[in-house]
Amino acid sequence: MMSMLLILLLSFTLQFNWIESAPDGQEKRYKIAIIGGGISGTFTAKYLAEYDVHHRDAKRSDCFIDEIAVFDVSPPPEEDNVNPQEVKSSSDPRPQHWQGSRVSSLTLQDGSVIELGASIIYSGNQLVVDMMAGDPEYLVRGKPMGLGKKSTDAQVVTSKTDDTTTNQPSGFGIYHGNQEWLLRPGLFSSYPQVLQSILKPLYFLWRYNFDYFRLNSAVKQAIHSFDNIVYALLNDTDREVTYFENPMDMWAAIGLKSLAGITFHEFLDELGISRDDSLELSSTDSNKEDSSWWNWRRWLPGIGCLRSELVTAMTINTYNQDLNEMNGLVGLVAYVPAGGDLFSVEGGNDKLMKSAIKQARNMYETSNCKATSDKVQRHQATVTTVISSEESIQLLSDDGSLGEFDIVILAAPLQMCRIKFLMHSPMGLDPSILHEMPLAGVHDNIDAEDIEHSARSATGAANNEHGARSFANPLLPSATTPYTSVVTTIISNVTLNSTHFDIGAKEQWPRSILVSERGKSMEGLTTLTILSVKKRLVKTFSTEALDTATLNNLFGPHHNVVYVQMWGGGKSSEFSKYGGATPSFRGGRHSESLPYLLYDGAMHWGKNNAGPALYYVNAIESAVAAIEISAIGAKSTAKLVARRLGLISPSVDISAREEL
């Protein structure tokens, strides 16, 4: 019993060796760098400040963290000053062919704000809602897909032959291409408004029937898992099992891991939701039951098409991927807005990032920590190289060194960051020679001759004269697959072509035009949204930039392209190599994620937790991507870093201790 207690005491001492190793009795303080100033990076900074201030050791006179430096290629200005003569994106200025944060907005000359990237937030997103609650005067809820604080409406020119319409755009339609609609936008538009409010819900229930309730039930269960399990686990610092080493551990803990490894089609099959593969461009699994003569659905036109209509249109709109490309987990996330309370931040969702930094600074300024005025910094810089030594990690740009840090947190996709990750040799070789940093761990440096020798040896152990465990393992496919291309185009002075869309002169236009698989293929669009009737302003999402002929046909010869934001896009451009909106999920085939701790210098240098470390927030995007998902990745990463620094630690399990 005594020997076991000594072992436990020794392991505890080694675990916190780095924390208590400051020379001359000085308290050890740490420098942390965050590469990326989007939701992931700025939320991580806020959570680290929170852990540092709220979990400060009573025996210390100061906080543990000396500096949190956020490096961003396009940080927004500190003040929301708008040049009335300039149409400006929140992600500008930025280096050529760098897209910056995927949460970005455009400010027009009249002060109206348009979301260019992630546009909507679900009211159940607790981490984002909590961030807004921490800065209620600056972060105010607004209407989703609106124009900031500016109101819309009056009349819009909607036809080449008929100048006006009294029907305001409302709701959405699902366009199938070639003047065909799967869900026409003007249903019941000739009826009084009171009747419309009754007839439209009844029509949806008739059209989607049991499938609608089955899918809604699955979505509610997933939301319940998030609300009652995920957030509780993230906020729990006392139990060892709540410190997730990788995102898949968390999905497994709430029973959703299996959904990440199957296509959304396969998940919908499990739910028993009808499939009309005649609406799909390429179906790998024809639903024979639905085509049988005894299937009641086939005798009622339009019934049983939830999967190929509404669900497909929503996934294409949100992720520009069809149901074979999506996995089950991300498919559920894409469908949540169908029945949820949605909003955007007035003035742009990018204000979340500004506020996260402000809240981190305020935490230190209102605490008892020393030298709090510049603990949280934000720099416009492009990190090109990360080099780990035995004691620290150095960041470099093309202009020189950006500093040395104890912890570096990558808050940008590996596929898009354009960073070389290098290290000095831990084997005592020439220090001027740098080696590849083993981001996926290392493997034994044993060749075929070593293996043959081990088979003949008495012990069966391989004799490796070059030193064991020195070569990097290959990265998982989820860390190398490309991101999907989405091009956001803002167009003003629009004359919508009603003939092209087969919209009658007196028929109501939809606020948003979603598309089916065929509609996307034929039109080149994934979404068209009428932002303002009065301003004749629309926003489109597409896979590639819209050419002049398409723009003239859809929006009239006098249209004006206000702004184009490339999220990937361009088959031969740098945007396609180092950009994109969301991961290509490949139907769940590449859902396995990297760990949050991407490189552990303590282990690699044999320092017993006393070495530098590289963490990776965006590991969570291997299975699903959204604003709240980025926030969850930030919280998970900050929690692991806080534990490494000794800011928090799980309590001793009493039952396990008594058993020992």
Side-chain angles (χ1 to χ4, degrees):
M1 182 68 179
M2 182 62 70
S3 61
M4 183 62 69
L5 289 175
L6 290 173
I7 292 173
L8 288 173
L9 179 61
L10 178 60
S11 64
F12 181 85
T13 304
L14 291 176
Q15 179 181 0
F16 294 98
N17 177 44
W18 192 23
I19 297 169
E20 302 298 335
S21 61
D24 302 326
Q26 297 178 1
E27 295 173 337
K28 174 65 177 178
R29 293 164 63 182
Y30 304 96
K31 297 181 66 176
I32 298 175
I34 299 174
I35 304 174
I39 294 293
S40 297
T42 56
F43 276 48
T44 301
K46 191 260 187 179
Y47 295 140
L48 285 172
E50 191 172 39
Y51 281 125
D52 196 21
V53 171
H54 292 170
H55 298 274
R56 188 157 54 96
D57 191 331
K59 296 180 180 179
R60 293 174 61 103
S61 61
D62 196 10
C63 291
F64 281 34
I65 298 176
D66 184 53
E67 176 186 352
I68 300 174
V70 179
F71 296 98
D72 190 357
V73 297
S74 57
E78 295 292 335
E79 302 295 333
D80 294 319
N81 295 324
V82 178
N83 183 348
Q85 303 302 319
E86 185 179 13
V87 175
K88 190 173 181 61
S89 164
S90 64
S91 59
D92 290 328
R94 60 186 185 273
Q96 187 177 16
H97 302 311
W98 289 70
Q99 69 177 28
S101 171
R102 288 166 286 165
V103 176
S104 176
S105 65
L106 182 74
T107 302
L108 303 180
Q109 292 178 347
D110 64 357
S112 299
V113 177
I114 302 170
E115 297 295 343
L116 296 173
S119 303
I120 57 176
I121 302 167
Y122 170 57
S123 59
N125 294 156
Q126 288 189 21
L127 296 183
V128 173
V129 170
D130 288 346
M131 187 68 71
M132 296 184 68
D135 195 0
E137 294 184 2
Y138 183 66
L139 299 177
V140 179
R141 291 194 186 198
K143 293 182 179 180
M145 300 181 295
L147 288 177
K149 296 181 179 179
K150 301 293 181 179
S151 61
T152 64
D153 290 354
Q155 294 180 336
V156 62
V157 178
T158 58
S159 172
K160 291 181 178 179
T161 58
D162 183 9
D163 271 355
T164 63
T165 178
T166 57
N167 290 327
Q168 294 299 322
S170 175
F172 66 93
I174 302 176
Y175 191 57
H176 200 42
N178 195 29
Q179 296 187 319
E180 294 183 38
W181 292 85
L182 297 180
L183 187 66
R184 286 201 70 87
L187 289 171
F188 314 114
S189 59
S190 61
Y191 290 79
Q193 190 65 40
V194 175
L195 277 179
Q196 287 188 44
S197 63
I198 298 173
L199 292 174
K200 285 183 179 180
L202 290 176
Y203 175 77
F204 271 83
L205 289 176
W206 173 83
R207 187 172 184 82
Y208 298 138
N209 53 81
F210 298 112
D211 292 342
Y212 177 81
F213 293 109
R214 288 191 184 104
L215 186 53
N216 271 10
S217 177
V219 170
K220 288 180 180 179
Q221 289 180 23
I223 292 174
H224 176 80
S225 296
F226 269 85
D227 292 346
N228 294 280
I229 304 177
V230 169
Y231 298 113
L233 293 175
L234 289 175
N235 292 324
D236 186 347
T237 60
D238 293 329
R239 292 183 295 165
E240 175 71 34
V241 294
T242 67
Y243 292 81
F244 298 112
E245 301 298 328
N246 64 74
M248 281 300 153
D249 289 347
M250 182 181 69
W251 302 132
I254 64 174
L256 295 178
K257 180 179 179 180
S258 61
L259 298 187
I262 60 175
T263 69
F264 198 20
H265 267 315
E266 291 170 329
F267 172 62
L268 295 176
D269 286 340
E270 293 180 1
L271 294 180
I273 292 178
S274 170
R275 181 173 183 179
D276 184 354
D277 56 15
S278 67
L279 298 178
E280 302 172 24
L281 287 181
S282 58
S283 175
T284 58
D285 180 22
S286 178
N287 193 327
K288 295 181 180 180
E289 182 182 357
D290 281 355
S291 62
S292 303
W293 69 269
W294 60 81
N295 184 1
W296 61 273
R297 295 176 186 272
R298 68 190 298 265
W299 301 104
L300 296 173
I303 284 192
C305 49
L306 174 72
R307 182 195 298 217
S308 301
E309 280 188 10
L310 183 61
V311 176
T312 294
M314 294 188 69
T315 57
I316 289 176
N317 168 67
T318 308
Y319 291 99
N320 194 15
Q321 298 176 62
D322 62 38
L323 274 60
N324 281 317
E325 297 168 320
M326 305 274 279
N327 65 52
L329 181 57
V330 74
L332 280 180
V333 171
Y335 187 75
V336 165
D341 179 19
L342 308 176
F343 66 92
S344 295
V345 177
E346 285 191 353
N349 290 338
D350 56 282
K351 293 175 70 173
L352 287 167
M353 288 105 77
K354 299 178 189 178
S355 181
I357 294 295
K358 183 175 73 171
Q359 291 183 52
R361 290 170 175 164
N362 288 343
M363 283 185 180
Y364 281 118
E365 291 172 359
T366 56
S367 72
N368 295 323
C369 296
K370 298 177 181 177
T372 58
S373 60
D374 59 351
K375 275 186 179 290
V376 182
Q377 305 175 21
R378 196 170 191 180
H379 307 283
Q380 182 171 9
T382 304
V383 179
T384 58
T385 310
V386 172
I387 303 175
S388 175
S389 66
E390 185 175 355
E391 302 296 335
S392 63
I393 296 180
Q394 184 180 30
L395 303 189
L396 300 174
S397 70
D398 289 337
D399 298 325
S401 177
L402 298 171
E404 296 188 7
F405 301 88
D406 300 293
I407 301 288
V408 172
I409 300 170
L410 178 62
L414 271 171
Q415 297 92 320
M416 296 155 56
C417 68
R418 313 191 205 188
I419 297 174
K420 295 179 181 178
F421 295 93
L422 306 172
M423 58 172 289
H424 295 285
S425 172
M427 300 171 61
L429 303 178
D430 188 345
S432 64
I433 299 177
L434 297 175
H435 302 263
E436 178 186 1
M437 186 182 291
L439 300 180
V442 293
H443 65 82
D444 291 336
N445 178 17
I446 300 174
D447 54 29
E449 187 176 324
D450 295 324
I451 296 174
E452 182 180 352
H453 173 77
S454 67
R456 297 194 305 266
S457 68
T459 62
N463 178 22
N464 179 12
E465 68 274 17
H466 303 292
R469 306 187 65 79
S470 59
F471 288 147
N473 285 325
L475 290 169
L476 291 171
S478 63
T480 58
T481 53
Y483 273 49
T484 57
S485 166
V486 174
V487 179
T488 305
T489 308
I490 310 300
I491 310 134
S492 65
N493 200 34
V494 164
T495 303
L496 287 171
N497 187 346
S498 58
T499 302
H500 179 88
F501 290 105
D502 189 33
I503 299 290
K506 296 183 179 181
E507 190 174 356
Q508 186 180 42
W509 280 78
R511 176 81 187 281
S512 293
I513 298 177
L514 309 181
V515 297
S516 64
E517 288 185 41
R518 194 187 84 168
K520 171 187 170 181
S521 175
M522 297 180 69
E523 301 296 323
L525 298 175
T526 57
T527 308
L528 188 158
T529 301
I530 299 174
L531 294 174
S532 172
V533 173
K534 182 178 181 179
K535 303 174 191 300
R536 306 204 309 185
L537 189 69
V538 303
K539 175 172 73 171
T540 66
F541 292 149
S542 57
T543 301
E544 300 290 343
L546 301 177
D547 58 37
T548 302
T550 300
L551 290 167
N552 285 335
N553 179 45
L554 296 179
F555 308 118
H558 304 297
H559 74 271
N560 176 45
V561 176
V562 177
Y563 196 87
V564 178
Q565 171 68 62
M566 305 282 285
W567 311 102
K571 295 179 181 178
S572 60
S573 73
E574 289 295 306
F575 285 111
S576 63
K577 294 169 58 180
Y578 298 112
T582 57
S584 298
F585 295 106
R586 306 291 175 89
R589 295 190 301 275
H590 297 163
S591 61
E592 284 298 326
S593 63
L594 289 171
Y596 290 118
L597 179 55
L598 204 55
Y599 170 75
D600 188 352
M603 181 180 70
H604 205 72
W605 295 85
K607 303 294 283 188
N608 293 322
N609 209 36
L614 172 67
Y615 288 82
Y616 182 40
V617 183
N618 293 71
I620 199 169
E621 288 190 339
S622 65
V624 60
I627 291 179
E628 182 73 358
I629 298 300
S630 295
I632 290 173
K635 185 78 170 182
S636 300
T637 303
K639 188 174 176 180
L640 293 175
V641 173
R643 179 186 184 180
R644 186 182 184 93
L645 300 184
L647 301 173
I648 56 176
S649 62
S651 302
V652 177
D653 190 313
I654 297 176
S655 61
R657 183 176 62 187
E658 290 176 347
E659 183 178 347
L660 290 174

